Amino acid sequence: EESVTADQVVTGIEHQFGVTPGQRRNHINGVCVAGSFVGNKAVQPYSMSPLFSGKVIPVLGRFSLAGGSLKIPDTAKNPRGMALEFRLPDGQVQHFTMLNVPVFGAATPESFYDGVVANTPDPATGKPDPEKMAAYKASHPDAKALGEYLGKNNPIASYANSDFYSVHTFKFINKNNKSTLVRWRFVPQDGVKRLSDEELKTAPTRFLDQDIMNKTQAGVVRWDMVLVIGDPMDEQTNPTIYWPVDRKEIKAGVLALTSASPQQGGACEKINFDPLAMTSGIAPTNDPVLLFRSPAYANSYAKRLTGQ
Ligand code: HEM
């Protein structure tokens, strides 16, 4: 495994999906949302982040569909994203840029790049080469856990009925400088609902964006943030590995979304939801995928802001 650069990986994604000038190279389909978050003070023994002050914090967000082509349908068996920008006092921002799967499909940026290359259409056929895909699968066991999860869990019926996961492990740091390994998930108060195999066949190409616009117009759509407290020996740097199921969990807050609007010209369009935008009290681990995301998003952001 040769090491890869952000530019190489984003260029690889462009080869896989093509380029839509001015738009995101990945998670291109999406919708802007807004609302607020109230963190639970019970988290303060773990984190001094102003997120858990108990006060109402304005949130700007974006739901999205993984992949870099506008043609990918809402029924695609791939992850959905929820990106949140918490607008904290003093102009600070905290980002959570999550997926609706508990594990990722690559343990390193190199492995992610291998997946991009293997899934890039062959110019001769317009489709990825089945032999290359099989060879990638056989040589990348780190892709297995996500593949199994997506195989067992059909796409969601609505963004309002999806759970979303940190995927990576993060560090929460309290005011005594004590560090705790954590993961988290957002659980929809209206429950997780997936399309049945039958519904998958009949669902329209696009329904997710209009659905969340309708739901937020009709009422407030809420998620509970559930914080998972890790043991010091739990997996830190590999986002493809599940934690044991019996870890302590705390209700960390409630996200309430009150509006949604198309991304074109919307408040989320020109945001770079860099997952490393953090405030005191929350810090990254040395997960190489998490650390790589920051330069990769900056690369895509710079291109799309300049109309490329
Ligand atoms: C090596 C691994 C990864 C690479 C190279 C990568 C690359 C990208 C790129 C280039 C974008 C578009 C950024 C922009 O133009 O603003 C993007 C968006 C996104 N990625 Fe990743 N990504 C990776 C892993 C992940 C992981 C692990 C997660 C979640 C745990 C994730 C969640 C998202 C989400 C939710 C968005 C959409 C953000 C928005 O709404 O603006 N990605 N990714």
PDB file of all heavy atoms in Angstrom, residues 83-105:
ATOM      1  N   ALA A  83     -24.640  16.050   8.142  1.00  0.00           N
ATOM      2  CA  ALA A  83     -23.574  16.958   8.556  1.00  0.00           C
ATOM      3  C   ALA A  83     -24.208  18.069   9.377  1.00  0.00           C
ATOM      4  O   ALA A  83     -25.203  18.653   8.966  1.00  0.00           O
ATOM      5  CB  ALA A  83     -22.875  17.535   7.331  1.00  0.00           C
ATOM      6  N   LEU A  84     -23.622  18.335  10.542  1.00  0.00           N
ATOM      7  CA  LEU A  84     -24.168  19.374  11.422  1.00  0.00           C
ATOM      8  C   LEU A  84     -23.086  20.400  11.741  1.00  0.00           C
ATOM      9  O   LEU A  84     -21.941  20.040  12.030  1.00  0.00           O
ATOM     10  CB  LEU A  84     -24.667  18.764  12.741  1.00  0.00           C
ATOM     11  CG  LEU A  84     -25.752  17.687  12.651  1.00  0.00           C
ATOM     12  CD1 LEU A  84     -26.054  17.127  14.040  1.00  0.00           C
ATOM     13  CD2 LEU A  84     -27.026  18.234  12.000  1.00  0.00           C
ATOM     14  N   GLU A  85     -23.484  21.676  11.675  1.00  0.00           N
ATOM     15  CA  GLU A  85     -22.612  22.754  12.156  1.00  0.00           C
ATOM     16  C   GLU A  85     -23.301  23.407  13.340  1.00  0.00           C
ATOM     17  O   GLU A  85     -24.339  24.052  13.183  1.00  0.00           O
ATOM     18  CB  GLU A  85     -22.345  23.778  11.050  1.00  0.00           C
ATOM     19  CG  GLU A  85     -21.510  24.951  11.554  1.00  0.00           C
ATOM     20  CD  GLU A  85     -20.953  25.802  10.424  1.00  0.00           C
ATOM     21  OE1 GLU A  85     -20.030  25.351   9.723  1.00  0.00           O
ATOM     22  OE2 GLU A  85     -21.460  26.923  10.241  1.00  0.00           O
ATOM     23  N   PHE A  86     -22.726  23.210  14.515  1.00  0.00           N
ATOM     24  CA  PHE A  86     -23.255  23.807  15.739  1.00  0.00           C
ATOM     25  C   PHE A  86     -22.636  25.198  15.869  1.00  0.00           C
ATOM     26  O   PHE A  86     -21.406  25.329  15.855  1.00  0.00           O
ATOM     27  CB  PHE A  86     -22.873  22.970  16.958  1.00  0.00           C
ATOM     28  CG  PHE A  86     -23.374  21.546  16.901  1.00  0.00           C
ATOM     29  CD1 PHE A  86     -22.599  20.540  16.341  1.00  0.00           C
ATOM     30  CD2 PHE A  86     -24.616  21.209  17.416  1.00  0.00           C
ATOM     31  CE1 PHE A  86     -23.051  19.221  16.296  1.00  0.00           C
ATOM     32  CE2 PHE A  86     -25.079  19.893  17.380  1.00  0.00           C
ATOM     33  CZ  PHE A  86     -24.297  18.899  16.814  1.00  0.00           C
ATOM     34  N   ARG A  87     -23.480  26.226  15.974  1.00  0.00           N
ATOM     35  CA  ARG A  87     -22.968  27.600  16.051  1.00  0.00           C
ATOM     36  C   ARG A  87     -22.943  28.048  17.508  1.00  0.00           C
ATOM     37  O   ARG A  87     -23.947  28.482  18.065  1.00  0.00           O
ATOM     38  CB  ARG A  87     -23.801  28.502  15.160  1.00  0.00           C
ATOM     39  CG  ARG A  87     -23.713  27.965  13.726  1.00  0.00           C
ATOM     40  CD  ARG A  87     -24.143  28.930  12.688  1.00  0.00           C
ATOM     41  NE  ARG A  87     -23.477  28.624  11.412  1.00  0.00           N
ATOM     42  CZ  ARG A  87     -23.714  29.254  10.272  1.00  0.00           C
ATOM     43  NH1 ARG A  87     -24.572  30.232  10.243  1.00  0.00           N
ATOM     44  NH2 ARG A  87     -23.077  28.916   9.175  1.00  0.00           N
ATOM     45  N   LEU A  88     -21.760  27.905  18.071  1.00  0.00           N
ATOM     46  CA  LEU A  88     -21.573  28.115  19.501  1.00  0.00           C
ATOM     47  C   LEU A  88     -21.343  29.582  19.812  1.00  0.00           C
ATOM     48  O   LEU A  88     -20.990  30.355  18.914  1.00  0.00           O
ATOM     49  CB  LEU A  88     -20.386  27.268  19.975  1.00  0.00           C
ATOM     50  CG  LEU A  88     -20.613  25.766  19.762  1.00  0.00           C
ATOM     51  CD1 LEU A  88     -19.305  25.000  19.762  1.00  0.00           C
ATOM     52  CD2 LEU A  88     -21.551  25.220  20.836  1.00  0.00           C
ATOM     53  N   PRO A  89     -21.527  29.957  21.073  1.00  0.00           N
ATOM     54  CA  PRO A  89     -21.234  31.352  21.445  1.00  0.00           C
ATOM     55  C   PRO A  89     -19.800  31.718  21.047  1.00  0.00           C
ATOM     56  O   PRO A  89     -18.953  30.846  20.934  1.00  0.00           O
ATOM     57  CB  PRO A  89     -21.390  31.347  22.972  1.00  0.00           C
ATOM     58  CG  PRO A  89     -22.264  30.184  23.278  1.00  0.00           C
ATOM     59  CD  PRO A  89     -21.994  29.161  22.213  1.00  0.00           C
ATOM     60  N   ASP A  90     -19.545  32.984  20.835  1.00  0.00           N
ATOM     61  CA  ASP A  90     -18.220  33.507  20.449  1.00  0.00           C
ATOM     62  C   ASP A  90     -17.843  33.148  19.016  1.00  0.00           C
ATOM     63  O   ASP A  90     -16.657  33.164  18.659  1.00  0.00           O
ATOM     64  CB  ASP A  90     -17.086  32.995  21.381  1.00  0.00           C
ATOM     65  CG  ASP A  90     -17.367  33.294  22.828  1.00  0.00           C
ATOM     66  OD1 ASP A  90     -18.068  34.297  23.081  1.00  0.00           O
ATOM     67  OD2 ASP A  90     -16.904  32.538  23.696  1.00  0.00           O
ATOM     68  N   GLY A  91     -18.828  32.736  18.201  1.00  0.00           N
ATOM     69  CA  GLY A  91     -18.524  32.458  16.800  1.00  0.00           C
ATOM     70  C   GLY A  91     -17.797  31.149  16.552  1.00  0.00           C
ATOM     71  O   GLY A  91     -17.368  30.876  15.430  1.00  0.00           O
ATOM     72  N   GLN A  92     -17.619  30.336  17.576  1.00  0.00           N
ATOM     73  CA  GLN A  92     -16.973  29.037  17.374  1.00  0.00           C
ATOM     74  C   GLN A  92     -17.942  28.070  16.691  1.00  0.00           C
ATOM     75  O   GLN A  92     -19.146  28.159  16.898  1.00  0.00           O
ATOM     76  CB  GLN A  92     -16.617  28.421  18.722  1.00  0.00           C
ATOM     77  CG  GLN A  92     -15.554  29.133  19.507  1.00  0.00           C
ATOM     78  CD  GLN A  92     -15.137  28.260  20.681  1.00  0.00           C
ATOM     79  OE1 GLN A  92     -14.340  27.355  20.537  1.00  0.00           O
ATOM     80  NE2 GLN A  92     -15.720  28.513  21.844  1.00  0.00           N
ATOM     81  N   VAL A  93     -17.398  27.163  15.912  1.00  0.00           N
ATOM     82  CA  VAL A  93     -18.254  26.118  15.351  1.00  0.00           C
ATOM     83  C   VAL A  93     -17.714  24.731  15.684  1.00  0.00           C
ATOM     84  O   VAL A  93     -16.512  24.518  15.812  1.00  0.00           O
ATOM     85  CB  VAL A  93     -18.438  26.233  13.816  1.00  0.00           C
ATOM     86  CG1 VAL A  93     -19.126  27.522  13.429  1.00  0.00           C
ATOM     87  CG2 VAL A  93     -17.130  26.053  13.075  1.00  0.00           C
ATOM     88  N   GLN A  94     -18.662  23.817  15.824  1.00  0.00           N
ATOM     89  CA  GLN A  94     -18.339  22.401  16.009  1.00  0.00           C
ATOM     90  C   GLN A  94     -19.045  21.645  14.891  1.00  0.00           C
ATOM     91  O   GLN A  94     -20.238  21.853  14.648  1.00  0.00           O
ATOM     92  CB  GLN A  94     -18.867  21.913  17.368  1.00  0.00           C
ATOM     93  CG  GLN A  94     -18.826  20.402  17.572  1.00  0.00           C
ATOM     94  CD  GLN A  94     -17.426  19.859  17.748  1.00  0.00           C
ATOM     95  OE1 GLN A  94     -16.647  20.385  18.547  1.00  0.00           O
ATOM     96  NE2 GLN A  94     -17.082  18.833  16.982  1.00  0.00           N
ATOM     97  N   HIS A  95     -18.315  20.803  14.188  1.00  0.00           N
ATOM     98  CA  HIS A  95     -18.949  19.978  13.147  1.00  0.00           C
ATOM     99  C   HIS A  95     -19.070  18.520  13.595  1.00  0.00           C
ATOM    100  O   HIS A  95     -18.153  17.990  14.214  1.00  0.00           O
ATOM    101  CB  HIS A  95     -18.099  19.999  11.871  1.00  0.00           C
ATOM    102  CG  HIS A  95     -18.179  21.291  11.117  1.00  0.00           C
ATOM    103  ND1 HIS A  95     -17.364  21.569  10.044  1.00  0.00           N
ATOM    104  CD2 HIS A  95     -18.986  22.372  11.262  1.00  0.00           C
ATOM    105  CE1 HIS A  95     -17.660  22.765   9.560  1.00  0.00           C
ATOM    106  NE2 HIS A  95     -18.631  23.281  10.292  1.00  0.00           N
ATOM    107  N   PHE A  96     -20.203  17.904  13.242  1.00  0.00           N
ATOM    108  CA  PHE A  96     -20.337  16.446  13.269  1.00  0.00           C
ATOM    109  C   PHE A  96     -20.700  16.065  11.838  1.00  0.00           C
ATOM    110  O   PHE A  96     -21.739  16.516  11.335  1.00  0.00           O
ATOM    111  CB  PHE A  96     -21.492  15.992  14.178  1.00  0.00           C
ATOM    112  CG  PHE A  96     -21.255  16.096  15.657  1.00  0.00           C
ATOM    113  CD1 PHE A  96     -22.306  15.820  16.531  1.00  0.00           C
ATOM    114  CD2 PHE A  96     -20.021  16.436  16.203  1.00  0.00           C
ATOM    115  CE1 PHE A  96     -22.128  15.892  17.909  1.00  0.00           C
ATOM    116  CE2 PHE A  96     -19.836  16.520  17.585  1.00  0.00           C
ATOM    117  CZ  PHE A  96     -20.898  16.244  18.439  1.00  0.00           C
ATOM    118  N   THR A  97     -19.887  15.292  11.172  1.00  0.00           N
ATOM    119  CA  THR A  97     -20.181  14.895   9.783  1.00  0.00           C
ATOM    120  C   THR A  97     -20.290  13.374   9.741  1.00  0.00           C
ATOM    121  O   THR A  97     -19.290  12.665   9.637  1.00  0.00           O
ATOM    122  CB  THR A  97     -19.098  15.443   8.830  1.00  0.00           C
ATOM    123  OG1 THR A  97     -18.909  16.834   9.118  1.00  0.00           O
ATOM    124  CG2 THR A  97     -19.521  15.311   7.373  1.00  0.00           C
ATOM    125  N   MET A  98     -21.535  12.915   9.854  1.00  0.00           N
ATOM    126  CA  MET A  98     -21.813  11.503  10.181  1.00  0.00           C
ATOM    127  C   MET A  98     -22.395  10.724   9.001  1.00  0.00           C
ATOM    128  O   MET A  98     -22.830  11.296   8.012  1.00  0.00           O
ATOM    129  CB  MET A  98     -22.818  11.467  11.334  1.00  0.00           C
ATOM    130  CG  MET A  98     -22.333  12.194  12.583  1.00  0.00           C
ATOM    131  SD  MET A  98     -23.629  12.291  13.856  1.00  0.00           S
ATOM    132  CE  MET A  98     -24.523  13.742  13.304  1.00  0.00           C
ATOM    133  N   LEU A  99     -22.418   9.409   9.167  1.00  0.00           N
ATOM    134  CA  LEU A  99     -23.051   8.514   8.188  1.00  0.00           C
ATOM    135  C   LEU A  99     -24.111   7.675   8.889  1.00  0.00           C
ATOM    136  O   LEU A  99     -24.044   7.475  10.109  1.00  0.00           O
ATOM    137  CB  LEU A  99     -22.018   7.584   7.557  1.00  0.00           C
ATOM    138  CG  LEU A  99     -20.970   8.218   6.634  1.00  0.00           C
ATOM    139  CD1 LEU A  99     -19.956   7.158   6.198  1.00  0.00           C
ATOM    140  CD2 LEU A  99     -21.621   8.874   5.422  1.00  0.00           C
ATOM    141  N   ASN A 100     -25.046   7.127   8.086  1.00  0.00           N
ATOM    142  CA  ASN A 100     -26.085   6.301   8.720  1.00  0.00           C
ATOM    143  C   ASN A 100     -25.710   4.818   8.756  1.00  0.00           C
ATOM    144  O   ASN A 100     -26.565   3.955   8.662  1.00  0.00           O
ATOM    145  CB  ASN A 100     -27.459   6.536   8.067  1.00  0.00           C
ATOM    146  CG  ASN A 100     -27.576   5.880   6.710  1.00  0.00           C
ATOM    147  OD1 ASN A 100     -26.574   5.553   6.088  1.00  0.00           O
ATOM    148  ND2 ASN A 100     -28.808   5.680   6.266  1.00  0.00           N
ATOM    149  N   VAL A 101     -24.410   4.585   8.895  1.00  0.00           N
ATOM    150  CA  VAL A 101     -23.874   3.230   9.088  1.00  0.00           C
ATOM    151  C   VAL A 101     -22.923   3.271  10.274  1.00  0.00           C
ATOM    152  O   VAL A 101     -22.256   4.292  10.472  1.00  0.00           O
ATOM    153  CB  VAL A 101     -23.136   2.746   7.818  1.00  0.00           C
ATOM    154  CG1 VAL A 101     -24.121   2.530   6.668  1.00  0.00           C
ATOM    155  CG2 VAL A 101     -22.036   3.713   7.398  1.00  0.00           C
ATOM    156  N   PRO A 102     -22.844   2.191  11.054  1.00  0.00           N
ATOM    157  CA  PRO A 102     -22.009   2.256  12.266  1.00  0.00           C
ATOM    158  C   PRO A 102     -20.513   2.100  12.009  1.00  0.00           C
ATOM    159  O   PRO A 102     -19.702   2.452  12.862  1.00  0.00           O
ATOM    160  CB  PRO A 102     -22.525   1.095  13.125  1.00  0.00           C
ATOM    161  CG  PRO A 102     -23.213   0.175  12.170  1.00  0.00           C
ATOM    162  CD  PRO A 102     -23.674   0.982  10.992  1.00  0.00           C
ATOM    163  N   VAL A 103     -20.154   1.562  10.846  1.00  0.00           N
ATOM    164  CA  VAL A 103     -18.732   1.350  10.523  1.00  0.00           C
ATOM    165  C   VAL A 103     -18.445   1.847   9.104  1.00  0.00           C
ATOM    166  O   VAL A 103     -19.347   1.926   8.271  1.00  0.00           O
ATOM    167  CB  VAL A 103     -18.327  -0.149  10.617  1.00  0.00           C
ATOM    168  CG1 VAL A 103     -18.153  -0.573  12.061  1.00  0.00           C
ATOM    169  CG2 VAL A 103     -19.312  -1.044   9.865  1.00  0.00           C
ATOM    170  N   PHE A 104     -17.172   2.163   8.845  1.00  0.00           N
ATOM    171  CA  PHE A 104     -16.767   2.628   7.515  1.00  0.00           C
ATOM    172  C   PHE A 104     -16.248   1.452   6.687  1.00  0.00           C
ATOM    173  O   PHE A 104     -16.023   0.362   7.211  1.00  0.00           O
ATOM    174  CB  PHE A 104     -15.695   3.722   7.664  1.00  0.00           C
ATOM    175  CG  PHE A 104     -15.493   4.545   6.416  1.00  0.00           C
ATOM    176  CD1 PHE A 104     -16.562   5.171   5.793  1.00  0.00           C
ATOM    177  CD2 PHE A 104     -14.217   4.706   5.853  1.00  0.00           C
ATOM    178  CE1 PHE A 104     -16.382   5.930   4.638  1.00  0.00           C
ATOM    179  CE2 PHE A 104     -14.023   5.465   4.713  1.00  0.00           C
ATOM    180  CZ  PHE A 104     -15.107   6.075   4.094  1.00  0.00           C
ATOM    181  N   GLY A 105     -16.030   1.684   5.390  1.00  0.00           N
ATOM    182  CA  GLY A 105     -15.606   0.609   4.487  1.00  0.00           C
ATOM    183  C   GLY A 105     -14.118   0.602   4.191  1.00  0.00           C
ATOM    184  O   GLY A 105     -13.674  -0.105   3.288  1.00  0.00           O
TER     185      GLY A 105
END
